[in-house]
């Protein structure tokens, strides 16, 4: 089965750059999406098709995908960005999510 | 702005059938894939399956024998049935829409609108 692996936690200081990774076999051959989820809320799409931002998502969110690793980058991280972040891609016929990274803004 | 809202019982007994409905407002249910996703501490986010306005369905192989997703275009709703539930099916259930590739209009591989989620507990 196709699996996506994310580090369980990450931390960043306000104003700095946060980088979160998502690993999977030949992930660079697939489109990766990223979702932000705050406590008690449903996930929100922040990046799709590796590096596209939906309308309303700040420019500080960006993504890349190559080889076996996709990366979500938040530039100039703000306190409001503290949340869980999940990557997602498609296996043979199934959408698959990573286990999520909890981002703490210290 | 598309909005999705899940509805259904919050408590289901073991071995019985879980039934949820998602009502779509602010847009037509046509031309998209409509999806059910669940989230639990044990499994994380798990894609259950989806349905196209044509009625074509795709299911997660791990749940396929127990899942049925149906569509009611007249009511702008789609529904989930999960049979023979156990405690492992306890989760927050979300309905969501698969977005479209903005460059070519093809079906995307991402979920752009989500419902607020409805918690379902399987317990006697």
């Amino acid at each position: 089965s196709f699996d996506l692996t994310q580090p369980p936690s990450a931390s960043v200081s306000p104003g700095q750059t946060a980088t979160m990774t998502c690993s999977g076999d030949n992930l660079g051959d697939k489109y990766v999406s990223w979702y932000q989820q705050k406590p008690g809320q449903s996930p929100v799409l922040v990046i799709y098709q590796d590096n596209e931002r939906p309308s309303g998502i700040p420019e500080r969110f960006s993504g890349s995908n190559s080889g076996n690793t996709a990366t979500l980058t938040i530039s100039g991280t703000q306190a409001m960005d503290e949340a869980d972040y999940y990557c997602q891609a498609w296996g043979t016929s199934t959408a698959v999510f990573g286990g999520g990274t909890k981002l703490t803004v210290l | 702005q598309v909005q999705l809202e899940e509805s259904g019982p919050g408590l289901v007994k073991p071995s019985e059938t879980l039934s949820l409905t998602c009502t779509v407002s602010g847009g037509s249910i046509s031309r998209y894939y409509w999806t059910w996703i669940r989230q639990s501490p044990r499994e994380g986010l798990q894609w259950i399956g989806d349905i196209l306005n044509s009625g074509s369905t795709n299911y997660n192989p791990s749940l396929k024998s127990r899942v049925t997703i149906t569509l009611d275009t007249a009511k702008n709703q789609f529904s989930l049935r999960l049979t023979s539930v156990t405690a492992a099916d306890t989760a927050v259930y979300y309905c969501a829409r698969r977005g479209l590739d903005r460059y070519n209009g093809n079906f995307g591989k991402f979920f752009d609108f989500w419902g607020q989620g409805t918690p379902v507990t399987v317990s006697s």
Side-chain angles (χ1 to χ4, degrees):
Chain A
S1 65
F2 179 66
D3 295 319
L4 295 175
T5 301
Q6 297 182 251
S9 63
S11 61
V12 64
S13 299
Q16 299 304 301
T17 297
T19 301
M20 287 165 278
T21 60
C22 174
S23 300
D25 286 346
N26 299 312
L27 189 56
D29 294 338
K30 306 176 189 298
Y31 274 141
V32 174
S33 305
W34 291 88
Y35 302 85
Q36 176 194 69
Q37 186 177 34
K38 296 181 180 180
Q41 299 182 18
S42 53
V44 172
L45 180 69
V46 295
I47 291 290
Y48 69 99
Q49 290 177 191
D50 295 340
N51 54 20
E52 299 287 338
R53 270 180 299 105
S55 173
I57 299 301
E59 289 185 10
R60 63 180 182 274
F61 287 86
S62 64
S64 64
N65 184 21
S66 179
N68 295 322
T69 303
T71 302
L72 174 68
T73 302
I74 310 175
S75 304
T77 307
Q78 300 183 8
M80 68 172 65
D81 299 330
E82 185 164 286
D84 294 328
Y85 290 86
Y86 296 90
C87 59
Q88 175 255 314
W90 282 76
T92 305
S93 58
T94 307
V96 176
F97 292 88
T101 295
K102 183 177 183 60
L103 179 66
T104 301
V105 182
L106 299 169
Chain B
Q1 179 85 334
V2 174
Q3 292 186 312
L4 297 88
E5 183 173 7
E6 306 89 350
S7 59
L11 180 64
V12 182
K13 290 182 168 55
S15 79
E16 295 191 346
T17 296
L18 179 161
S19 295
L20 297 174
T21 296
C22 182
T23 302
V24 179
S25 59
S28 172
I29 206 165
S30 300
R31 186 68 178 98
Y32 290 94
Y33 274 101
W34 299 95
T35 302
W36 287 98
I37 295 164
R38 69 183 184 181
Q39 184 174 30
S40 65
R42 191 180 79 151
E43 295 284 345
L45 286 163
Q46 183 181 34
W47 179 81
I48 298 171
D50 58 24
I51 187 167
L52 187 56
N53 63 307
S54 65
S56 171
T57 54
N58 301 291
Y59 299 131
N60 189 318
S62 69
L63 299 169
K64 187 173 184 177
S65 63
R66 299 193 292 130
V67 173
T68 305
I69 298 176
T70 56
L71 192 70
D72 186 335
T73 54
K75 295 182 178 179
N76 247 30
Q77 294 177 334
F78 62 106
S79 299
L80 169 71
R81 289 184 76 248
L82 182 65
T83 62
S84 305
V85 298
T86 69
D89 295 310
T90 294
V92 176
Y93 285 75
Y94 295 99
C95 56
R97 189 186 81 171
R98 269 176 67 178
L100 299 178
D101 185 319
R102 71 175 186 179
Y103 296 110
N104 58 29
N106 290 339
F107 295 118
K109 293 183 179 294
F110 56 92
F111 308 104
D112 57 356
F113 289 97
W114 295 62
Q116 83 282 2
T118 187
V120 177
T121 300
V122 178
S123 175
S124 55

